Every structure is written in C-alpha cells, then in structure tokens.
Amino acid sequence: MASQNRPLSPHLQVYKPQLTSVMSIMHRATGIALAVGTLLLVFWLIAAATGERTFGDIQAFNASLIGKLLLFGWSFALFYHLCNGIRHLFWDAGKGFGLEAAYRNGRLVVVASIALTVLSWVWGYASMGAL
Amino acid sequence: MSLRSPLGKVRGLGSAKEGVIHWWAQRMTAVALIPLLIWFVASIAAMAGADYGAFREWIATPVVSVLLVLMTIAVFHHAQLGLQVVLEDYVHTEWLKIAAIALVKFAAIGLAIASIFSIVKIALG
C-alpha cells in the first residue's frame, strides 16, 4: 500500500527540544522503565517467600554497585512519573494547561522529583545508621 | 452526517461500546497509586538495612499485606494499560502489535499473581 511510505508526523528531529516536550517523552520513558522495574519487585517478594538464602542473594544484588545504580534510577523514575502523573491528572481536570502554567508546573515537577529522590535515599541511609 | 471515518466505514468497524474504559482505568489506577506508592517507598526507606526476619514480619502484618496486594493490582493494571498505548503508537505491523500487547497482558497477569501469592504465603506463614 502506497500510504505505508508516507512520512509520519511529528518529525521530532526538526523541533528544538522544549521543557514541555522533553518532559512528555520522559513520562513515557520512565513509565516503560518502571514496568521493567516491577520485575525486581516481583523477584524480591518471591525471594522473601522462598527463604532466607534466596532473599540474601537478592539483597546482596541490591547492595552491589549495579544494584544501587538501578535502584537509584528506578527511584527517580518513580518520583518523576508520580509527580508528572499528578500534573497530568490536573490537566485532565482542565487545570494548569496555559503556556506559562505548563512551564511553571513542569519546573515544579522536575524540582520535586529530584528532591524526593534525594530525600528518600538520605532517609534510607539514615535508617541503616550510615549517616 | 455520519461521524465515522471513510476507512472505518469500509472496514466495517463500529464502536466497541467500550468508550473511555481504558482511559478511565488508567486514571483511576493512577489516583490509587499516589498514596500506595508514597506509603511503599517511605516504608522501604524506613526499613533499609533490616534483616530477613524483619522484612517478613513487616509483610505479614495484615494492614501491610492488604496494602501490598492492592498496590500490586494497581501497579500491574496501570503498567499494562500504559504499555498497550505505547505499543499501539509505535508498532505498526498489525500481527506484531497484537502479539506484543497480548504478551504484555499475559506477563502482567503472571507477575501480579506471583507477587500476590508470595505476599499471601508470607502473611499466612
């Protein structure tokens, strides 16, 4: 079919990245990353149900450098998707949709998700007695 | 005047009478996940470094077990709804799209059942 070869809109490469568009793509990307991250949550619960040795293995993975990097990435993805998801819910209610408002609440989401990520890791290390 | 597109008429595809169910379910699971995920992350942060026994004891607390099951259902329902939209947007080969969406839904059900079974097993000791 000839229509199969039509160029599809939008052409992302001809646009200058803007806060609003980058944040929109980030919402999808973090959503996909979090869906993959559920695997670790499921393995963790299965390990807890299986026995102390299996649970120890997964905890050792979580404590490793690669494990910590993954958890840090997933924690940011979670807070970002959560905060931006709330922004989306306000939009669904027809609020905060103006150009200025969209930039303002966009910046708020970025700041809030970084702050919440840092806060949760500080809290985590504090409860381990590492601080 | 018909509101159906010419392509829709030719293919004979009418309304599935489902309307906004998918869209609405995505929003409702999102709303449910706001308190559930804040609770979960805060609990995990507060328990960082705890040993096996402490984690099992926490999961086995009735309120915690129920909240974890609720979170599991909301997470996997929300995730498969979202991934379905992503696949519908980017996969344009019909059979591949249908196969990928089916795979995502099977995986979501399997992973959700595995989580719930583990939680219940720990809770009932």
Side-chain angles (χ1 to χ4, degrees), chain B residues 84-96:
Chain B
Q84 182 188 343
V85 176
V86 172
L87 290 166
E88 284 168 350
D89 281 354
Y90 302 132
V91 182
H92 300 301
T93 310
E94 195 67 10
W95 72 267
L96 199 60

Side-chain angles (χ1 to χ4, degrees), chain A residues 76-111:
Chain A
F76 173 73
L78 178 71
F79 284 123
Y80 178 84
H81 200 85
L82 184 69
C83 293
N84 203 48
I86 293 170
R87 183 167 169 243
H88 267 281
L89 289 171
F90 274 100
W91 283 343
D92 292 335
K95 309 218 180 291
F97 232 155
L99 193 57
E100 271 181 46
Y103 272 89
R104 200 167 48 236
N105 53 45
R107 281 190 293 269
L108 181 66
V109 163
V110 173
V111 172

Side-chain angles (χ1 to χ4, degrees), chain A residues 112-125:
Chain A
S113 40
I114 292 171
L116 287 166
T117 307
V118 172
L119 179 75
S120 64
W121 281 79
V122 169
W123 188 359
Y125 275 106

Side-chain angles (χ1 to χ4, degrees), chain A residues 4 8 28 31-32 35 38-39 41-42 44-52 55 59 78-79 81-82 86 88-89 92 120 123-125 127-128, chain B residues 23 27 31 34 37-38 40-42 44-46 48-49 52 55-56 59 71 75-76 78 83 85-86 89-90 92 111 114-115 118-119 121-122:
Chain A
Q4 294 276 337
L8 293 166
R28 251 194 187 182
I32 295 166
T38 59
L39 288 173
L41 179 67
V42 176
W44 187 75
L45 284 168
I46 292 174
T50 304
E52 191 159 9
F55 190 74
Q59 289 293 77
L78 178 71
F79 284 123
H81 200 85
L82 184 69
I86 293 170
H88 267 281
L89 289 171
D92 292 335
S120 64
W123 188 359
Y125 275 106
S127 23
M128 284 169 72
Chain B
W23 186 90
R27 267 70 193 171
V31 170
I34 297 170
L37 287 174
I38 292 171
F40 180 71
V41 174
I44 294 297
Y52 178 65
F55 270 114
R56 276 190 70 115
I59 294 170
M71 188 186 80
V75 158
F76 284 104
H78 189 81
L83 289 177
V85 176
V86 172
D89 281 354
Y90 302 132
H92 300 301
L111 291 168
S115 301
S118 302
I119 296 161
K121 185 169 184 286
I122 294 167

